[in-house]
Amino acid sequence: MSPLVPPRFFSEMEVARHSTKDSCWVLLGMRVYDVTGFLRMHPGGEALILHRSGNDISLEMEGPPHRHSENARRWMEQYYIGELDRDSNADETQTVRERRKTQEHTVDEEPSPLSKCSQVDLETDLVDWRKPLAWQVGHLGEKYDTWVHQPVDRPIRLFGNEFLEASTKTSWYMVPAVWMPLVFYLCWYCYTTLALETTRLFASTDYSILVHKYSFPLMFIMGMVMWTFIEYCIHRFVFHMRPPAHNYYLITIHFLLHGQHHKSPYDGSRLVFPPGLASVMIGSFYLLLTKAFPETLGVSLFVGGLFGYVVYDMIHYYLHYGSPQRNSYLYSLKAYHVKHHFEHQRAGFGISTTLWDHPFNTVIPEQTF
């Protein structure tokens, strides 16, 4: 909200009435926020916010169990809609207070530190949001790394050309629709080929080993594990490379590959890889594996890796838009990934699993919000 526009004022009773999935408001001190659109995105699940709707959540922002990061606080400012009017109808105030006494949550009456944070003003940002961003970000230079890791809740337009812009967007269901038929076909192909008992390791030596058809599930799982390592390496060393501040082209490439996702982490059209672009990487790994191993063995590893990639993309989408049950594996994974986006961009590179963060010492500490 622009500082030139007087803020709207709401009574406590009016704020308290907005306590459903269709309209959810919360307070931070005297400031009122409409967080309806954020319910599904919240890493702790929508129930945690709904339980506190109409109330002051200052204590929750400060912790325990965790203190929310500065980026999370900055993000919150996008939902600011006005101020609480303490001088409104006394009867309404008394009714609201009685209602709050029945809740488990203790309301903090002190102003939230969040009220001191500057609101995101897209009109005065370092880039012109009314124009495509792809050709602008390279000019940010040394300011790029800070800017790209200050997330906003709005879609990004990368290109002015409609075809180029459309090629960067994909609905989540396109990933399994395109790749799962290939997974099923290659599984059948590998199993039936191995059943012919013509596939051998070290075939040109006296120590050749027959690759039995019943070993296919093991190779499939090995391919999936191999993908989790590739996923980690790509995310850490490619997607999170630090482009030199003076290199316009590397900054632009980084933004197109992954920077735009960190700038707008809830742009649902860019949470999975477009099949056309993904096919280049997938084809490269296919050629590499079939050259490094006997063809059927290489394809068996490849199809496991391909399935791992599909699972990765689906999990990634769900971590942004799903509401996993509390204390489930996906619940902890969602919280972990949100920490990566909002506070620890140089750690937490595992998405479908945190397995490889441990040996490479990039695990995000438990209580770091």
Side-chain angles (χ1 to χ4, degrees):
M1 185 174 293
S2 171
L4 299 179
V5 179
R8 293 179 61 190
F9 287 89
F10 304 94
S11 68
E12 288 190 333
M13 179 62 78
E14 187 174 3
V15 173
R17 282 197 294 264
H18 293 269
S19 58
T20 67
K21 289 184 179 181
D22 297 324
S23 183
C24 182
W25 293 7
V26 295
L27 295 168
L28 278 167
M30 300 289 287
R31 295 167 71 84
V32 183
Y33 298 83
D34 181 354
V35 295
T36 309
F38 183 66
L39 289 177
R40 288 186 61 198
M41 305 176 192
H42 185 241
E46 58 187 31
L48 289 182
I49 299 181
L50 285 171
H51 180 66
R52 295 161 176 79
S53 58
N55 291 326
D56 191 333
I57 61 171
S58 300
L59 287 177
E60 282 76 9
M61 293 295 289
E62 287 301 308
H66 53 251
R67 185 179 185 277
H68 287 70
S69 70
E70 202 61 33
N71 264 339
R73 297 160 179 272
R74 187 173 180 273
W75 178 279
M76 183 74 170
E77 285 302 295
Q78 296 174 102
Y79 306 119
Y80 170 74
I81 57 173
E83 301 287 327
L84 184 67
D85 184 3
R86 291 285 189 190
D87 298 326
S88 59
N89 186 280
D91 292 335
E92 286 189 356
T93 302
Q94 182 63 28
T95 301
V96 172
R97 285 176 179 170
E98 291 176 357
R99 171 178 175 267
R100 289 179 180 175
K101 285 181 182 180
T102 65
Q103 299 186 6
E104 299 175 2
H105 173 59
T106 301
V107 180
D108 179 22
E109 297 296 334
E110 295 298 322
S112 166
L114 182 56
S115 62
K116 301 176 183 178
C117 297
S118 59
Q119 184 178 356
V120 176
D121 190 342
L122 301 177
E123 295 299 322
T124 59
D125 201 72
L126 295 177
V127 297
D128 186 350
W129 286 84
R130 292 163 294 189
K131 299 178 181 179
L133 298 189
W135 314 126
Q136 298 185 59
V137 294
H139 296 294
L140 294 179
E142 61 185 14
K143 298 178 181 179
Y144 170 74
D145 190 68
T146 300
W147 175 85
V148 82
H149 291 124
Q150 293 176 341
V152 296
D153 185 13
R154 61 162 295 159
I156 286 177
R157 184 170 184 95
L158 293 176
F159 302 104
N161 182 276
E162 294 295 339
F163 176 78
L164 284 178
E165 180 69 8
S167 69
T168 66
K169 297 182 177 182
T170 306
S171 298
W172 68 267
Y173 53 81
M174 288 301 296
V175 173
V178 169
W179 298 116
M180 285 308 296
L182 182 59
V183 168
F184 290 132
Y185 169 75
L186 290 179
C187 285
W188 172 83
Y189 168 79
C190 291
Y191 185 81
T192 54
T193 303
L194 290 174
L196 299 176
E197 299 187 350
T198 58
T199 302
R200 290 180 172 272
L201 284 172
F202 315 115
S204 59
T205 70
D206 295 333
Y207 305 98
S208 64
I209 303 173
L210 175 67
V211 181
H212 201 277
K213 63 181 179 181
Y214 295 126
S215 65
F216 173 72
L218 176 61
M219 290 184 287
F220 186 90
I221 293 173
M222 288 176 61
M224 289 185 64
V225 174
M226 179 181 65
W227 162 255
T228 63
F229 180 68
I230 293 170
E231 166 198 319
Y232 175 89
C233 291
I234 292 176
H235 192 192
R236 179 178 180 180
F237 299 112
V238 179
F239 290 169
H240 279 275
M241 68 173 178
R242 290 193 177 189
H246 62 275
N247 195 312
Y248 171 90
Y249 297 103
L250 281 181
I251 291 176
T252 301
I253 290 172
H254 177 268
F255 187 70
L256 293 177
L257 284 176
H258 197 61
Q260 48 83 20
H261 174 55
H262 269 264
K263 188 63 182 176
S264 181
Y266 292 103
D267 183 351
S269 64
R270 292 194 175 97
L271 284 177
V272 298
F273 276 97
L277 298 177
S279 62
V280 176
M281 179 186 70
I282 291 172
S284 299
F285 283 117
Y286 175 84
L287 293 174
L288 178 63
L289 289 172
T290 52
K291 294 296 183 183
F293 299 96
E295 181 182 3
T296 308
L297 179 57
V299 175
S300 298
L301 292 170
F302 168 78
V303 69
L306 180 59
F307 180 71
Y309 159 71
V310 174
V311 172
Y312 147 79
D313 246 353
M314 295 300 94
I315 287 178
H316 185 221
Y317 186 89
Y318 187 77
L319 295 185
H320 283 263
Y321 276 101
S323 296
Q325 291 186 349
R326 192 172 180 82
N327 298 323
S328 66
Y329 173 71
L330 287 175
Y331 182 91
S332 61
L333 208 58
K334 180 180 177 79
Y336 190 81
H337 191 58
V338 169
K339 289 180 185 181
H340 167 75
H341 269 282
F342 284 86
E343 187 172 9
H344 288 268
Q345 294 89 6
R346 305 301 176 190
F349 299 110
I351 296 176
S352 58
T353 175
T354 62
L355 171 66
W356 299 105
D357 280 315
H358 293 274
F360 292 104
N361 199 30
T362 54
V363 177
I364 297 175
E366 284 291 330
Q367 303 296 340
T368 54
F369 269 94

PDB file of all heavy atoms in Angstrom, residues 32-63:
ATOM      1  N   VAL A  32      -3.272  -5.061   9.888  1.00  0.00           N
ATOM      2  CA  VAL A  32      -4.190  -6.110   9.452  1.00  0.00           C
ATOM      3  C   VAL A  32      -3.708  -6.683   8.123  1.00  0.00           C
ATOM      4  O   VAL A  32      -3.360  -5.927   7.196  1.00  0.00           O
ATOM      5  CB  VAL A  32      -5.627  -5.571   9.293  1.00  0.00           C
ATOM      6  CG1 VAL A  32      -6.586  -6.695   8.912  1.00  0.00           C
ATOM      7  CG2 VAL A  32      -6.085  -4.887  10.582  1.00  0.00           C
ATOM      8  N   TYR A  33      -3.712  -8.016   8.013  1.00  0.00           N
ATOM      9  CA  TYR A  33      -3.235  -8.696   6.812  1.00  0.00           C
ATOM     10  C   TYR A  33      -4.286  -9.696   6.330  1.00  0.00           C
ATOM     11  O   TYR A  33      -4.817 -10.471   7.127  1.00  0.00           O
ATOM     12  CB  TYR A  33      -1.926  -9.441   7.091  1.00  0.00           C
ATOM     13  CG  TYR A  33      -0.805  -8.533   7.504  1.00  0.00           C
ATOM     14  CD1 TYR A  33      -0.687  -8.112   8.823  1.00  0.00           C
ATOM     15  CD2 TYR A  33       0.131  -8.084   6.583  1.00  0.00           C
ATOM     16  CE1 TYR A  33       0.346  -7.269   9.205  1.00  0.00           C
ATOM     17  CE2 TYR A  33       1.164  -7.249   6.949  1.00  0.00           C
ATOM     18  CZ  TYR A  33       1.266  -6.838   8.272  1.00  0.00           C
ATOM     19  OH  TYR A  33       2.285  -6.005   8.642  1.00  0.00           O
ATOM     20  N   ASP A  34      -4.548  -9.681   5.030  1.00  0.00           N
ATOM     21  CA  ASP A  34      -5.422 -10.673   4.407  1.00  0.00           C
ATOM     22  C   ASP A  34      -4.535 -11.769   3.825  1.00  0.00           C
ATOM     23  O   ASP A  34      -3.933 -11.598   2.762  1.00  0.00           O
ATOM     24  CB  ASP A  34      -6.265 -10.018   3.307  1.00  0.00           C
ATOM     25  CG  ASP A  34      -7.223 -11.001   2.643  1.00  0.00           C
ATOM     26  OD1 ASP A  34      -7.162 -12.197   2.954  1.00  0.00           O
ATOM     27  OD2 ASP A  34      -8.024 -10.557   1.798  1.00  0.00           O
ATOM     28  N   VAL A  35      -4.455 -12.904   4.519  1.00  0.00           N
ATOM     29  CA  VAL A  35      -3.540 -13.981   4.130  1.00  0.00           C
ATOM     30  C   VAL A  35      -4.280 -15.136   3.460  1.00  0.00           C
ATOM     31  O   VAL A  35      -3.758 -16.256   3.401  1.00  0.00           O
ATOM     32  CB  VAL A  35      -2.745 -14.499   5.350  1.00  0.00           C
ATOM     33  CG1 VAL A  35      -1.826 -13.422   5.886  1.00  0.00           C
ATOM     34  CG2 VAL A  35      -3.690 -15.002   6.448  1.00  0.00           C
ATOM     35  N   THR A  36      -5.464 -14.868   2.931  1.00  0.00           N
ATOM     36  CA  THR A  36      -6.259 -15.920   2.303  1.00  0.00           C
ATOM     37  C   THR A  36      -5.473 -16.647   1.216  1.00  0.00           C
ATOM     38  O   THR A  36      -5.464 -17.877   1.143  1.00  0.00           O
ATOM     39  CB  THR A  36      -7.541 -15.335   1.699  1.00  0.00           C
ATOM     40  OG1 THR A  36      -8.208 -14.536   2.672  1.00  0.00           O
ATOM     41  CG2 THR A  36      -8.472 -16.440   1.223  1.00  0.00           C
ATOM     42  N   GLY A  37      -4.803 -15.879   0.376  1.00  0.00           N
ATOM     43  CA  GLY A  37      -4.068 -16.479  -0.730  1.00  0.00           C
ATOM     44  C   GLY A  37      -2.812 -17.214  -0.315  1.00  0.00           C
ATOM     45  O   GLY A  37      -2.205 -17.931  -1.120  1.00  0.00           O
ATOM     46  N   PHE A  38      -2.415 -17.057   0.952  1.00  0.00           N
ATOM     47  CA  PHE A  38      -1.179 -17.685   1.423  1.00  0.00           C
ATOM     48  C   PHE A  38      -1.432 -18.999   2.164  1.00  0.00           C
ATOM     49  O   PHE A  38      -0.490 -19.733   2.470  1.00  0.00           O
ATOM     50  CB  PHE A  38      -0.437 -16.711   2.349  1.00  0.00           C
ATOM     51  CG  PHE A  38       0.890 -17.218   2.848  1.00  0.00           C
ATOM     52  CD1 PHE A  38       1.942 -17.423   1.964  1.00  0.00           C
ATOM     53  CD2 PHE A  38       1.082 -17.504   4.182  1.00  0.00           C
ATOM     54  CE1 PHE A  38       3.164 -17.899   2.404  1.00  0.00           C
ATOM     55  CE2 PHE A  38       2.307 -17.978   4.645  1.00  0.00           C
ATOM     56  CZ  PHE A  38       3.348 -18.170   3.759  1.00  0.00           C
ATOM     57  N   LEU A  39      -2.695 -19.323   2.442  1.00  0.00           N
ATOM     58  CA  LEU A  39      -3.005 -20.486   3.275  1.00  0.00           C
ATOM     59  C   LEU A  39      -2.353 -21.764   2.768  1.00  0.00           C
ATOM     60  O   LEU A  39      -1.697 -22.493   3.510  1.00  0.00           O
ATOM     61  CB  LEU A  39      -4.523 -20.674   3.369  1.00  0.00           C
ATOM     62  CG  LEU A  39      -5.275 -19.634   4.208  1.00  0.00           C
ATOM     63  CD1 LEU A  39      -6.775 -19.899   4.155  1.00  0.00           C
ATOM     64  CD2 LEU A  39      -4.789 -19.643   5.646  1.00  0.00           C
ATOM     65  N   ARG A  40      -2.534 -22.064   1.479  1.00  0.00           N
ATOM     66  CA  ARG A  40      -1.998 -23.310   0.922  1.00  0.00           C
ATOM     67  C   ARG A  40      -0.480 -23.284   0.837  1.00  0.00           C
ATOM     68  O   ARG A  40       0.163 -24.329   0.785  1.00  0.00           O
ATOM     69  CB  ARG A  40      -2.579 -23.566  -0.465  1.00  0.00           C
ATOM     70  CG  ARG A  40      -4.033 -23.984  -0.460  1.00  0.00           C
ATOM     71  CD  ARG A  40      -4.475 -24.366  -1.868  1.00  0.00           C
ATOM     72  NE  ARG A  40      -3.714 -25.486  -2.372  1.00  0.00           N
ATOM     73  CZ  ARG A  40      -3.639 -25.820  -3.662  1.00  0.00           C
ATOM     74  NH1 ARG A  40      -4.273 -25.093  -4.564  1.00  0.00           N
ATOM     75  NH2 ARG A  40      -2.944 -26.866  -4.054  1.00  0.00           N
ATOM     76  N   MET A  41       0.110 -22.098   0.802  1.00  0.00           N
ATOM     77  CA  MET A  41       1.554 -21.997   0.661  1.00  0.00           C
ATOM     78  C   MET A  41       2.279 -22.149   1.999  1.00  0.00           C
ATOM     79  O   MET A  41       3.464 -22.469   2.032  1.00  0.00           O
ATOM     80  CB  MET A  41       1.925 -20.639   0.057  1.00  0.00           C
ATOM     81  CG  MET A  41       1.247 -20.318  -1.252  1.00  0.00           C
ATOM     82  SD  MET A  41       1.674 -18.638  -1.779  1.00  0.00           S
ATOM     83  CE  MET A  41       0.492 -18.372  -3.109  1.00  0.00           C
ATOM     84  N   HIS A  42       1.587 -21.913   3.093  1.00  0.00           N
ATOM     85  CA  HIS A  42       2.242 -21.897   4.395  1.00  0.00           C
ATOM     86  C   HIS A  42       2.888 -23.244   4.696  1.00  0.00           C
ATOM     87  O   HIS A  42       2.220 -24.278   4.632  1.00  0.00           O
ATOM     88  CB  HIS A  42       1.205 -21.558   5.475  1.00  0.00           C
ATOM     89  CG  HIS A  42       1.817 -21.408   6.832  1.00  0.00           C
ATOM     90  ND1 HIS A  42       1.474 -22.216   7.886  1.00  0.00           N
ATOM     91  CD2 HIS A  42       2.764 -20.564   7.291  1.00  0.00           C
ATOM     92  CE1 HIS A  42       2.175 -21.860   8.949  1.00  0.00           C
ATOM     93  NE2 HIS A  42       2.969 -20.863   8.616  1.00  0.00           N
ATOM     94  N   PRO A  43       4.181 -23.248   5.028  1.00  0.00           N
ATOM     95  CA  PRO A  43       4.876 -24.532   5.236  1.00  0.00           C
ATOM     96  C   PRO A  43       4.333 -25.336   6.400  1.00  0.00           C
ATOM     97  O   PRO A  43       4.460 -26.556   6.431  1.00  0.00           O
ATOM     98  CB  PRO A  43       6.330 -24.104   5.488  1.00  0.00           C
ATOM     99  CG  PRO A  43       6.256 -22.679   5.891  1.00  0.00           C
ATOM    100  CD  PRO A  43       5.090 -22.105   5.153  1.00  0.00           C
ATOM    101  N   GLY A  44       3.721 -24.663   7.363  1.00  0.00           N
ATOM    102  CA  GLY A  44       3.153 -25.383   8.497  1.00  0.00           C
ATOM    103  C   GLY A  44       1.749 -25.877   8.272  1.00  0.00           C
ATOM    104  O   GLY A  44       1.149 -26.484   9.166  1.00  0.00           O
ATOM    105  N   GLY A  45       1.205 -25.622   7.077  1.00  0.00           N
ATOM    106  CA  GLY A  45      -0.159 -26.035   6.776  1.00  0.00           C
ATOM    107  C   GLY A  45      -1.156 -24.921   7.058  1.00  0.00           C
ATOM    108  O   GLY A  45      -0.927 -24.058   7.903  1.00  0.00           O
ATOM    109  N   GLU A  46      -2.268 -24.946   6.352  1.00  0.00           N
ATOM    110  CA  GLU A  46      -3.257 -23.880   6.478  1.00  0.00           C
ATOM    111  C   GLU A  46      -3.945 -23.885   7.839  1.00  0.00           C
ATOM    112  O   GLU A  46      -4.396 -22.840   8.323  1.00  0.00           O
ATOM    113  CB  GLU A  46      -4.294 -23.993   5.362  1.00  0.00           C
ATOM    114  CG  GLU A  46      -5.040 -25.305   5.314  1.00  0.00           C
ATOM    115  CD  GLU A  46      -5.933 -25.427   4.102  1.00  0.00           C
ATOM    116  OE1 GLU A  46      -5.600 -24.851   3.043  1.00  0.00           O
ATOM    117  OE2 GLU A  46      -6.974 -26.087   4.218  1.00  0.00           O
ATOM    118  N   ALA A  47      -4.014 -25.049   8.500  1.00  0.00           N
ATOM    119  CA  ALA A  47      -4.729 -25.143   9.785  1.00  0.00           C
ATOM    120  C   ALA A  47      -4.089 -24.253  10.849  1.00  0.00           C
ATOM    121  O   ALA A  47      -4.787 -23.672  11.684  1.00  0.00           O
ATOM    122  CB  ALA A  47      -4.776 -26.592  10.257  1.00  0.00           C
ATOM    123  N   LEU A  48      -2.757 -24.131  10.816  1.00  0.00           N
ATOM    124  CA  LEU A  48      -2.072 -23.315  11.811  1.00  0.00           C
ATOM    125  C   LEU A  48      -2.466 -21.852  11.702  1.00  0.00           C
ATOM    126  O   LEU A  48      -2.599 -21.159  12.713  1.00  0.00           O
ATOM    127  CB  LEU A  48      -0.548 -23.456  11.656  1.00  0.00           C
ATOM    128  CG  LEU A  48       0.057 -24.800  12.065  1.00  0.00           C
ATOM    129  CD1 LEU A  48       1.565 -24.766  11.893  1.00  0.00           C
ATOM    130  CD2 LEU A  48      -0.295 -25.138  13.502  1.00  0.00           C
ATOM    131  N   ILE A  49      -2.653 -21.371  10.473  1.00  0.00           N
ATOM    132  CA  ILE A  49      -3.064 -19.977  10.296  1.00  0.00           C
ATOM    133  C   ILE A  49      -4.536 -19.814  10.621  1.00  0.00           C
ATOM    134  O   ILE A  49      -4.934 -18.859  11.300  1.00  0.00           O
ATOM    135  CB  ILE A  49      -2.764 -19.501   8.857  1.00  0.00           C
ATOM    136  CG1 ILE A  49      -1.268 -19.580   8.563  1.00  0.00           C
ATOM    137  CG2 ILE A  49      -3.254 -18.065   8.658  1.00  0.00           C
ATOM    138  CD1 ILE A  49      -0.879 -19.109   7.187  1.00  0.00           C
ATOM    139  N   LEU A  50      -5.368 -20.743  10.157  1.00  0.00           N
ATOM    140  CA  LEU A  50      -6.804 -20.644  10.411  1.00  0.00           C
ATOM    141  C   LEU A  50      -7.100 -20.650  11.912  1.00  0.00           C
ATOM    142  O   LEU A  50      -8.015 -19.968  12.381  1.00  0.00           O
ATOM    143  CB  LEU A  50      -7.541 -21.791   9.725  1.00  0.00           C
ATOM    144  CG  LEU A  50      -7.702 -21.680   8.204  1.00  0.00           C
ATOM    145  CD1 LEU A  50      -8.244 -22.975   7.632  1.00  0.00           C
ATOM    146  CD2 LEU A  50      -8.618 -20.514   7.849  1.00  0.00           C
ATOM    147  N   HIS A  51      -6.339 -21.423  12.667  1.00  0.00           N
ATOM    148  CA  HIS A  51      -6.539 -21.492  14.114  1.00  0.00           C
ATOM    149  C   HIS A  51      -6.286 -20.138  14.778  1.00  0.00           C
ATOM    150  O   HIS A  51      -6.849 -19.849  15.844  1.00  0.00           O
ATOM    151  CB  HIS A  51      -5.613 -22.545  14.706  1.00  0.00           C
ATOM    152  CG  HIS A  51      -5.737 -22.698  16.196  1.00  0.00           C
ATOM    153  ND1 HIS A  51      -6.877 -23.176  16.803  1.00  0.00           N
ATOM    154  CD2 HIS A  51      -4.860 -22.420  17.204  1.00  0.00           C
ATOM    155  CE1 HIS A  51      -6.706 -23.188  18.118  1.00  0.00           C
ATOM    156  NE2 HIS A  51      -5.482 -22.742  18.375  1.00  0.00           N
ATOM    157  N   ARG A  52      -5.452 -19.308  14.139  1.00  0.00           N
ATOM    158  CA  ARG A  52      -5.093 -18.014  14.703  1.00  0.00           C
ATOM    159  C   ARG A  52      -5.717 -16.847  13.947  1.00  0.00           C
ATOM    160  O   ARG A  52      -5.365 -15.700  14.178  1.00  0.00           O
ATOM    161  CB  ARG A  52      -3.570 -17.877  14.717  1.00  0.00           C
ATOM    162  CG  ARG A  52      -2.898 -18.875  15.648  1.00  0.00           C
ATOM    163  CD  ARG A  52      -1.432 -19.053  15.322  1.00  0.00           C
ATOM    164  NE  ARG A  52      -0.763 -19.942  16.272  1.00  0.00           N
ATOM    165  CZ  ARG A  52      -0.826 -21.261  16.253  1.00  0.00           C
ATOM    166  NH1 ARG A  52      -1.522 -21.873  15.301  1.00  0.00           N
ATOM    167  NH2 ARG A  52      -0.205 -21.989  17.155  1.00  0.00           N
ATOM    168  N   SER A  53      -6.622 -17.144  13.033  1.00  0.00           N
ATOM    169  CA  SER A  53      -7.250 -16.089  12.238  1.00  0.00           C
ATOM    170  C   SER A  53      -7.976 -15.104  13.139  1.00  0.00           C
ATOM    171  O   SER A  53      -8.586 -15.478  14.140  1.00  0.00           O
ATOM    172  CB  SER A  53      -8.229 -16.703  11.234  1.00  0.00           C
ATOM    173  OG  SER A  53      -9.219 -17.456  11.894  1.00  0.00           O
ATOM    174  N   GLY A  54      -7.884 -13.832  12.783  1.00  0.00           N
ATOM    175  CA  GLY A  54      -8.503 -12.772  13.571  1.00  0.00           C
ATOM    176  C   GLY A  54      -7.699 -12.373  14.780  1.00  0.00           C
ATOM    177  O   GLY A  54      -8.082 -11.450  15.504  1.00  0.00           O
ATOM    178  N   ASN A  55      -6.570 -13.020  15.026  1.00  0.00           N
ATOM    179  CA  ASN A  55      -5.755 -12.766  16.213  1.00  0.00           C
ATOM    180  C   ASN A  55      -4.404 -12.162  15.839  1.00  0.00           C
ATOM    181  O   ASN A  55      -3.993 -12.178  14.677  1.00  0.00           O
ATOM    182  CB  ASN A  55      -5.528 -14.056  16.993  1.00  0.00           C
ATOM    183  CG  ASN A  55      -6.797 -14.553  17.643  1.00  0.00           C
ATOM    184  OD1 ASN A  55      -7.640 -13.772  18.061  1.00  0.00           O
ATOM    185  ND2 ASN A  55      -6.946 -15.868  17.713  1.00  0.00           N
ATOM    186  N   ASP A  56      -3.714 -11.696  16.849  1.00  0.00           N
ATOM    187  CA  ASP A  56      -2.360 -11.170  16.686  1.00  0.00           C
ATOM    188  C   ASP A  56      -1.380 -12.336  16.673  1.00  0.00           C
ATOM    189  O   ASP A  56      -1.333 -13.134  17.616  1.00  0.00           O
ATOM    190  CB  ASP A  56      -2.044 -10.225  17.847  1.00  0.00           C
ATOM    191  CG  ASP A  56      -0.763  -9.436  17.614  1.00  0.00           C
ATOM    192  OD1 ASP A  56       0.117  -9.927  16.883  1.00  0.00           O
ATOM    193  OD2 ASP A  56      -0.645  -8.330  18.164  1.00  0.00           O
ATOM    194  N   ILE A  57      -0.597 -12.455  15.613  1.00  0.00           N
ATOM    195  CA  ILE A  57       0.334 -13.576  15.477  1.00  0.00           C
ATOM    196  C   ILE A  57       1.779 -13.140  15.728  1.00  0.00           C
ATOM    197  O   ILE A  57       2.720 -13.805  15.310  1.00  0.00           O
ATOM    198  CB  ILE A  57       0.225 -14.237  14.084  1.00  0.00           C
ATOM    199  CG1 ILE A  57       0.560 -13.229  12.973  1.00  0.00           C
ATOM    200  CG2 ILE A  57      -1.164 -14.835  13.889  1.00  0.00           C
ATOM    201  CD1 ILE A  57       0.684 -13.880  11.607  1.00  0.00           C
ATOM    202  N   SER A  58       1.960 -12.016  16.437  1.00  0.00           N
ATOM    203  CA  SER A  58       3.314 -11.507  16.685  1.00  0.00           C
ATOM    204  C   SER A  58       4.175 -12.532  17.406  1.00  0.00           C
ATOM    205  O   SER A  58       5.369 -12.696  17.086  1.00  0.00           O
ATOM    206  CB  SER A  58       3.247 -10.222  17.507  1.00  0.00           C
ATOM    207  OG  SER A  58       2.526  -9.226  16.825  1.00  0.00           O
ATOM    208  N   LEU A  59       3.598 -13.217  18.390  1.00  0.00           N
ATOM    209  CA  LEU A  59       4.382 -14.208  19.144  1.00  0.00           C
ATOM    210  C   LEU A  59       4.844 -15.343  18.246  1.00  0.00           C
ATOM    211  O   LEU A  59       5.973 -15.823  18.357  1.00  0.00           O
ATOM    212  CB  LEU A  59       3.552 -14.768  20.304  1.00  0.00           C
ATOM    213  CG  LEU A  59       3.331 -13.835  21.496  1.00  0.00           C
ATOM    214  CD1 LEU A  59       2.429 -14.507  22.528  1.00  0.00           C
ATOM    215  CD2 LEU A  59       4.657 -13.443  22.131  1.00  0.00           C
ATOM    216  N   GLU A  60       3.953 -15.787  17.346  1.00  0.00           N
ATOM    217  CA  GLU A  60       4.317 -16.869  16.437  1.00  0.00           C
ATOM    218  C   GLU A  60       5.414 -16.445  15.475  1.00  0.00           C
ATOM    219  O   GLU A  60       6.268 -17.256  15.086  1.00  0.00           O
ATOM    220  CB  GLU A  60       3.096 -17.347  15.651  1.00  0.00           C
ATOM    221  CG  GLU A  60       2.160 -18.252  16.427  1.00  0.00           C
ATOM    222  CD  GLU A  60       1.309 -17.485  17.420  1.00  0.00           C
ATOM    223  OE1 GLU A  60       1.334 -16.242  17.383  1.00  0.00           O
ATOM    224  OE2 GLU A  60       0.606 -18.128  18.226  1.00  0.00           O
ATOM    225  N   MET A  61       5.402 -15.193  15.061  1.00  0.00           N
ATOM    226  CA  MET A  61       6.444 -14.712  14.149  1.00  0.00           C
ATOM    227  C   MET A  61       7.800 -14.683  14.837  1.00  0.00           C
ATOM    228  O   MET A  61       8.836 -14.930  14.228  1.00  0.00           O
ATOM    229  CB  MET A  61       6.090 -13.314  13.641  1.00  0.00           C
ATOM    230  CG  MET A  61       4.858 -13.260  12.748  1.00  0.00           C
ATOM    231  SD  MET A  61       5.052 -14.154  11.179  1.00  0.00           S
ATOM    232  CE  MET A  61       6.210 -13.100  10.311  1.00  0.00           C
ATOM    233  N   GLU A  62       7.791 -14.401  16.141  1.00  0.00           N
ATOM    234  CA  GLU A  62       9.051 -14.310  16.884  1.00  0.00           C
ATOM    235  C   GLU A  62       9.535 -15.671  17.370  1.00  0.00           C
ATOM    236  O   GLU A  62      10.716 -15.879  17.602  1.00  0.00           O
ATOM    237  CB  GLU A  62       8.865 -13.369  18.076  1.00  0.00           C
ATOM    238  CG  GLU A  62       8.772 -11.905  17.689  1.00  0.00           C
ATOM    239  CD  GLU A  62      10.021 -11.438  16.961  1.00  0.00           C
ATOM    240  OE1 GLU A  62      11.142 -11.645  17.473  1.00  0.00           O
ATOM    241  OE2 GLU A  62       9.862 -10.888  15.866  1.00  0.00           O
ATOM    242  N   GLY A  63       8.584 -16.640  17.523  1.00  0.00           N
ATOM    243  CA  GLY A  63       8.947 -17.940  18.048  1.00  0.00           C
ATOM    244  C   GLY A  63       8.892 -17.948  19.564  1.00  0.00           C
ATOM    245  O   GLY A  63       8.763 -16.904  20.189  1.00  0.00           O
TER     246      GLY A  63
END
